[in-house]
Amino acid sequence: MDVVDTPTPELQTMSLGLYDLVHFALMAAGFALFAYFLYTWASRQEVGRRYRPAMHAGLCLAAVATVSYLVLFVTWESGFTLNGGLYEPDAEARFTGSTRYPDWAVTVPLLTVELLAVCSLTGKRARNLRATTTAAAFLMILTGYVGAQLVADGRDRTALVVWGLVSTAFFAYLYVALAGAVRASLPHMGREAGVSLRNATIVLLASFGVYPLVYAIPVFADVTPAWFATVQVAYSAADVVAKVGFGLLVHKVALLRTAEDVRAGEDTHPEPVWISNVHESDGVLPELRDHRDGHRAEATRTASGRG
């Protein structure tokens, strides 16, 4: 068992600059996630009912991530004491790293739900893929947590490698499954929606790649205070890209697909769809059936007293 004999990353003394850098990263990421939560809440009705589960998943993950960063910030503030120009850790500092894993165990599966909600898969195939990808996402985080936090406090290089490889296997399945779902969906949507969906997938899978790279640092080098600060900044940046950047692209796909469905007469939407000041579709209300004579009357006419 190859155990690193330096202190765990969370329990190393931080200089003023490194402490402030992590402080800034946690605050900036938390504010970005909270702003994304507010934006998603305010705009959730802009997309059609068919794609609204993507907005609901985005709302849930933004709420969880915002609370997680609040906990991270409080832990960071209370976990160090300024002494002689250096920030020295106390017992609370140990939770700075481990707090992220419960967040990811919830939000990463929700990211897969968010992506699949704007794909074109339906029925049993959609249900099965949603179940397997959410399970794989959860197991990817859980197995990474075992190696990074549980075995020898994350200081056993052998455990880091073994559990890292197990976690990577689940990541590989996610990559193949999500990329396959997107490829199968592209022929069933317009070009612009397809490009946005492809971009969203690239952003998600690329940001996922940051986490194993950071996870592997202790395998090849002792994690110094500078490395630990870099890890926290990298995780914070990746969280914003994976959740906010990806979520905004998914929202665009949902808007475009809503407009496509309205133009094709496959669905209705009460308000016009606008994207970047471009009018994509008109507002169309559902028709109401007059049960007295069996005729259909447009809801717009009924609402104005003309139907």
Side-chain angles (χ1 to χ4, degrees), residues 9-10 12 14-30 69 72-77 80 87 96-97 100 224-237:
E10 298 89 347
Q12 298 191 40
M14 306 289 291
S15 67
L16 293 175
L18 292 176
Y19 179 89
D20 289 343
L21 178 62
V22 176
H23 187 275
F24 176 86
L26 295 178
M27 285 190 68
Y69 269 87
L72 280 168
F73 179 78
V74 171
T75 304
W76 187 257
E77 285 279 291
F80 292 84
Y87 278 96
T96 304
R100 292 187 179 275
T224 63
W227 267 119
F228 178 58
T230 302
V231 166
Q232 294 302 314
V233 172
Y235 278 154
S236 299

Side-chain angles (χ1 to χ4, degrees), residues 200-216:
T201 308
I202 292 171
V203 167
L204 180 64
L205 296 180
S207 60
F208 276 178
V210 173
Y211 301 97
L213 291 176
V214 176
Y215 173 95

Side-chain angles (χ1 to χ4, degrees), residues 92-114:
E92 290 293 322
R94 180 67 181 93
F95 297 100
T96 304
S98 60
T99 303
R100 292 187 179 275
Y101 281 90
D103 167 2
W104 296 337
V106 176
T107 57
V108 174
L110 284 172
L111 286 169
T112 66
V113 172
E114 193 175 1

Side-chain angles (χ1 to χ4, degrees), residues 23-160:
H23 187 275
F24 176 86
L26 295 178
M27 285 190 68
F31 286 150
L33 288 161
F34 181 59
Y36 173 62
F37 172 81
L38 295 178
Y39 173 81
T40 306
W41 175 268
S43 60
R44 69 191 187 283
Q45 301 295 334
E46 292 180 356
V47 306
R49 290 163 296 180
R50 180 180 177 184
Y51 311 108
R52 217 162 285 167
M55 301 299 100
H56 297 159
L59 271 174
C60 291
L61 73 86
V64 171
T66 300
V67 173
S68 171
Y69 269 87
L70 177 60
V71 174
L72 280 168
F73 179 78
V74 171
T75 304
W76 187 257
E77 285 279 291
S78 62
F80 292 84
T81 303
L82 183 59
N83 186 12
L86 295 173
Y87 278 96
E88 297 180 348
D90 56 29
E92 290 293 322
R94 180 67 181 93
F95 297 100
T96 304
S98 60
T99 303
R100 292 187 179 275
Y101 281 90
D103 167 2
W104 296 337
V106 176
T107 57
V108 174
L110 284 172
L111 286 169
T112 66
V113 172
E114 193 175 1
L115 179 63
L116 293 176
V118 293
C119 288
S120 299
L121 304 182
T122 59
K124 183 178 180 180
R125 184 182 181 188
R127 291 192 298 271
N128 289 343
L129 189 59
R130 186 165 54 244
T132 57
T133 53
T134 54
F138 175 79
L139 292 172
M140 177 180 71
I141 300 303
L142 179 62
T143 51
Y145 175 69
V146 172
Q149 297 289 330
L150 294 187
V151 180
D153 296 326
R155 309 303 285 155
D156 182 355
R157 286 195 175 104
T158 301
L160 281 168

